[in-house]
Every structure is written in structure tokens, then in C-alpha cells.
Amino acid sequence: GFTFVLVITGKGKPGSESERGVLRRQVPQWLALPEFRTLVVGYEEAHSGHGGEGALYVRVRRARY
């Protein structure tokens, strides 16, 4: 029954963008895959109090019964 979930990806270690934050880069790509379109409405960066750039709010599609 949740409409939003908080996904914590972490910010990664400081360094070049290509080497840091694998989950931070990959999770949005995964959420955009066709198999998740029926489950995920959208996502956005979390508020700084909830992790900021190291977390995402994911809006989950409600199940129809």
C-alpha cells in the first residue's frame, strides 16, 4: 500500500564520476527499464534530510485489485 519508497544509493567515494557511486548511477537506469514501468511511476532525488543526492524517492504504482 505504499506510494513512495526511499531508495538509498549512497554518494560514492570522492573521485572521478566514472568510478564513484555505482548504485547512484545505475538505479535510475534500472528504474527506467521496461520491466519496471508497470511498478514505478517515477523517481526524484531525495530531500537533503533524507539523503539528498545519495537517495531517491521512488513513486510506486498502486496495485489494482
Side-chain angles (χ1 to χ4, degrees):
F2 294 106
T3 55
F4 283 93
V5 293
L6 179 64
V7 176
I8 300 169
T9 61
K11 296 178 184 177
K13 293 182 180 181
S16 76
E17 275 298 312
S18 63
E19 296 176 8
R20 64 176 277 211
V22 174
L23 288 177
R24 182 175 170 216
R25 287 191 325 270
Q26 291 296 135
V27 169
Q29 293 176 10
W30 293 335
L31 293 174
L33 291 173
E35 52 262 40
F36 288 110
R37 287 189 191 137
T38 59
L39 304 171
V40 176
V41 175
Y43 58 90
E44 62 186 85
E45 184 176 296
H47 182 272
S48 61
H50 293 150
E53 60 186 45
L56 297 170
Y57 295 129
V58 178
R59 185 171 187 159
V60 180
R61 194 174 306 278
R62 296 187 77 177
R64 295 184 183 200
Y65 296 102

